[in-house]
Amino acid sequence: MSEPKSQDLYRETVFLPKTSFPMRGSLPKREPEILEDWARSGLDGRLHAQAEGRPPFMLHDGPPYANGNLHIGHALNKILKDVINRAHRMAGFAVHYVPGWDCHGLPIEWKIEEEYRKAGKNKDSVPILQFRAECRAYAQKWLDVQAAEFRRLGVQAEWERRYATMDFASEATIVEEIGRFLLNGLLYRGLRPVMWSPVEKTALAEAEIEYRDHESTTIHVAFPFIHDPTPARALQDVSAVIWTTTPWTIPGNRAIAFGPGITYAVLRVDGVTDGAALEPGARLLVAEDLIARFCAAAGITEHHVLYTLPGEALTDALCAHPLRGEGYDFEVPLLAADFVTTDAGTGLVHMSPAHGEEDFAVSVANGIEIPELVLDDGRYAAWVPLFADIHVFKAADPVCTALSAAMVRASEAGAAPAGLVARSTILHSYPHSWRSRAPVIYRATPQWFIRMDGEGHLRGRALRALEDVTFVPAQARNRLTAMVADRPDWCISRQRAWGVPIAVFVEKRTGEVLRDPAVMQRIVDAFRAEGADVWYSAPAARFLGEGRDPEEYEQVFDIVDVWFESGSSHRFVLGRDGLPFPADLYLEGSDQHRGWFQSSLLESVGTRGTAPYRALVTNGFVLDEQGRKMSKSLGNVVAPQDVNDSLGADILRLWVMNSDTNEDLRIGNEILKQQGELYRRLRNTLRWLLGALDGFADAERVPYEQMPELEQWVLHRLTELGGQIDRAVRTHEWVGVYAAVHGFCATDLSAFYFDVRKDAIYCDGADSPRRRAARTVLDHLHRCLTTWLAPVLVFTAEEAWTARFGNEDSVHLQAFPVLPEEWIRPDLADRWARLRAVRRMVTTEIEAARRDGVIGSSLQAALDLPLSEEEAARFADIDWCELAIVSQTSVTVEPGAASIYLADGAETGATEEEGATVKGAHGVPRVSVASGHKCARCWKVLDEVGTHEAHPALCLRCVAVVEAAGGVQGA
């Protein structure tokens, strides 16, 4: 009988893999079908019921903004949350994930205003309630779109329970929280500089600011002294020189700051370059350490230092404004300030108290009036001399022109220099609105603030609360702590229309805010019933109640900062309807240290006295494959919807969990292609397991103690991996976990264990102890890997589970297997690391023989394996034919030879050259052609093939298996 016919004859007796689990995932097609199956089966309801009686795990959702389709950063963040939630559920916790949305704020207002502009409609002519209704409808549209897109990513949540900041209940809660700050004394109205967007005409929070390169005009300006407090009259006919990058703030100058510990010098100009603004003989005051830099900037070629004096000597000195005589006829005092340095400029700092935080603080402390010169759109007010109606970002030229003219006048009058000394430009990092991308300014306006210090001690309490919070990564603690420690009072007011109003009243007669619990309660009740629109539609008397005249009160219509709204979201969800407070976890991007993490902390500590979270996890930003930010102009945007449609959501989820999410991540076509290859290996592992487990029943199981050593080693490795999963659940540190799962599947299983055990699984008899032990281990592997992969590969794991157990069950209802401690065997780990090193060396020799044409497959090989006496004794029970996948093996013990495979470092895999360097070492493995004939069933080449009369094409092992099964049909 020919060999092909013999193989066909015995094919049916081989236990070849059988499974309905397809090789190709076809994820873009299959995933939506699985989502429909889950909806039909009521999976979410079953998960909710399963949670009854379990200890809770609460991840509170930071709300994305309901404005447009999801981007890749949304996908990253939501997938991370989903993995953590699912893992906790499978670890035995009750997980109730309530998704949320941020719906108020400027971006939505802008979108509606854009539509108005296209239609030729004037926003100011639209009633505010109509405008707010259009904003609400816009937000609802995108909320629904995003919810569907999150579901398509496989995110499991209590969607019907979702929260939105524009829900009536949420708006009522937000205003109730404002009321708590009002009543506990932390809310106040004050005049101080805030980040202001002239484009958006509103104050901005730090979290709404991004820093971008910006070219600014820089100027050196001379302020002549008009009062000299020094005993030697060192400042007589001298001008103080300041340097600033904001020429537009010169009209707002009211003081000059000096450093008490800085040494200053009075220098006389002796020579200048052509075109210099200064003339020889001019006397100027600058910091001694900055003379050289100043002279270079001002075109001074020669100078002489007349006096040096300590900073304290400038106390009580007065200057005139350089534009004196043109509407700026006030004194400019010199004030001590610790923030003045000699890092740049002149060591003298121009103080415009309406346009700088430090300027404001020092000026207020010294009783200086704060002028209001700039309107909300960035134009100078009508009462500003020389510059009325000019926009501050177009003011550099007019200001410099006026200062140059002042310098000419001073020179012609023979007076001390007054005006422009030098002009230049600088490219520096400058704050911009992250929405409009336009530069912002500091502008002093009446705003509503939450006090950080003084009464209530909010800053100190917040910092103490952070001491009990776990941070992942750990270094994030320093960032948030520093931000809370250094931040100013929290400006919570915005001058816009779409949001929750700061629903308070101010008594016109006294300017005091009304702090009446009854009034506040009426406001909250009205908001809960009718939403925030009621503040605009109902008369003030409804809220003030009897006994108060509405004419005596100002009703405040500023809306609250959206960060206050989202920071209050813990009140929407936590501590109500059976959900715990505080949350176990908040998880957002690293930019939220200055955003949601911080606003939530301050809001919760201010009203509840504690942080709203036990742990904070941050993820990085997503960049393209070259490390660039994504932008439409670069054409490098990767949209999650496109990945879903081309590769499948499971590939995107795998990319997230294979990345170092603590740092910035990269994504692009090549990276996704790599993830597709990793996915293919994982899928193939699951498919092989399912195929090899065909027909497996509990009766086949072999107790652990009866298993071969190789199976016990696999269970040891499985338990090690389970320990990594358990630790990640406890610590929220998932980086590297699924890379380890992939490595286990690819290296320990596919490239080793499956390879070694294929022969036993395919060709041993059904009742073979070795085959039964192997299939018992495969059962553990399938159950563990499928459940461990389920939080990430939510669709693929479901397929791999139902392919074996049927559609009535879901992998997402399963628990992570609890693996026995007896499976932990460090002794086996070391032993099998050395055995695998021997195998690698043998495989190298087999591959060389194959390349040289000595053999075709490894089963055509006969192996001669030299060992030392110690190695032979240590490895006496090893079946080298099975381990090396060859047909014949002979072990040659070389007396007195040194050991290669037991030497230190051998477990990492010695090469032939390295082995030869061991002094007195035995020889390396040798490969030759096996003698005998090829078995038609198992393909081993053995001398015994042909010795059985009834089955001459089989080896004796295969003869026994075939005959035990009743022979071969048609033989």
Side-chain angles (χ1 to χ4, degrees), residues 38 41 65 108 242 339 407 570 588 688 868 919:
W38 287 341
S41 68
Y65 199 68
I108 289 175
I242 63 91
F339 60 79
M407 183 64 83
H570 61 91
E588 299 298 330
W688 194 87
S868 69
K919 188 175 180 180

Side-chain angles (χ1 to χ4, degrees), residues 30-327:
R30 187 74 186 102
E31 288 174 346
E33 295 173 351
I34 293 174
L35 285 170
E36 291 177 6
D37 290 342
W38 287 341
R40 278 194 298 270
S41 68
L43 178 60
D44 285 353
R46 293 157 72 191
L47 290 171
H48 191 276
Q50 186 189 64
E52 286 295 322
R54 291 183 171 190
F57 171 77
M58 191 70 209
L59 190 161
H60 180 49
D61 191 31
Y65 199 68
N67 179 25
N69 295 100
L70 301 182
H71 56 66
I72 197 67
H74 289 128
L76 161 67
N77 180 256
K78 218 69 162 188
I79 288 169
L80 265 176
K81 291 174 180 176
D82 192 50
V83 169
I84 288 174
N85 278 329
R86 289 178 180 274
H88 275 83
R89 182 181 293 116
M90 299 181 84
F93 290 89
V95 175
H96 296 289
Y97 179 53
V98 180
W101 274 269
D102 195 351
C103 301
H104 292 133
L106 190 59
I108 289 175
E109 286 199 37
W110 270 27
K111 290 295 183 181
I112 302 305
E113 289 176 20
E114 277 181 16
E115 294 174 8
Y116 285 178
R117 285 191 289 271
K118 290 176 184 176
K121 188 187 298 186
N122 182 357
K123 176 199 170 185
D124 293 337
S125 67
V126 178
I128 190 169
L129 290 176
Q130 178 184 330
F131 180 75
R132 286 172 60 86
E134 292 182 52
C135 290
R136 180 178 293 276
Y138 183 90
Q140 185 62 56
K141 166 194 165 184
W142 285 111
L143 187 159
D144 294 339
V145 168
Q146 290 184 4
E149 290 177 335
F150 282 135
R151 291 189 191 206
R152 177 62 186 87
L153 289 170
V155 175
Q156 195 283 324
E158 298 186 8
W159 299 105
E160 302 306 317
R161 199 179 184 179
R162 68 104 187 102
Y163 75 84
T165 56
M166 68 178 182
D167 293 339
F168 288 3
S170 298
E171 291 180 334
T173 299
I174 292 164
V175 82
E176 188 173 29
E177 292 298 280
I178 294 171
R180 287 191 169 96
F181 279 103
L182 173 71
L183 297 176
N184 68 20
L186 293 182
L187 180 70
Y188 71 94
R189 182 157 68 172
L191 177 73
R192 61 180 301 158
V194 294
M195 288 280 197
W196 184 272
S197 170
V199 172
E200 295 143 314
K201 299 180 184 178
T202 186
L204 298 178
E206 179 64 28
E208 297 169 296
I209 297 297
E210 64 181 11
Y211 287 81
R212 305 169 68 192
D213 285 345
H214 180 77
E215 186 175 81
S216 296
T217 297
T218 65
I219 55 175
H220 287 80
V221 181
F223 286 66
F225 281 98
I226 57 175
H227 174 65
D228 179 5
T230 63
R233 294 292 179 261
L235 303 179
Q236 189 169 345
D237 298 324
V238 174
S239 297
V241 181
I242 63 91
W243 176 79
T244 181
T245 61
T246 54
W248 65 267
T249 61
I250 289 294
N253 174 274
R254 293 298 183 270
I256 295 173
F258 63 86
I262 296 174
T263 298
Y264 291 88
V266 175
L267 61 89
R268 184 187 66 218
V269 177
D270 294 334
V272 296
T273 60
D274 291 341
L278 294 168
E279 295 182 349
R283 298 186 176 198
L284 307 162
L285 179 76
V286 297
E288 183 180 38
D289 291 346
L290 294 169
I291 290 175
R293 274 193 271 178
F294 166 66
C295 288
I300 299 172
T301 57
E302 296 180 50
H303 71 277
H304 181 72
V305 174
L306 301 176
Y307 302 99
T308 60
L309 57 159
E312 293 94 332
L314 300 176
T315 303
D316 297 330
L318 297 174
C319 286
H321 195 283
L323 298 178
R324 190 169 190 147
E326 298 192 63

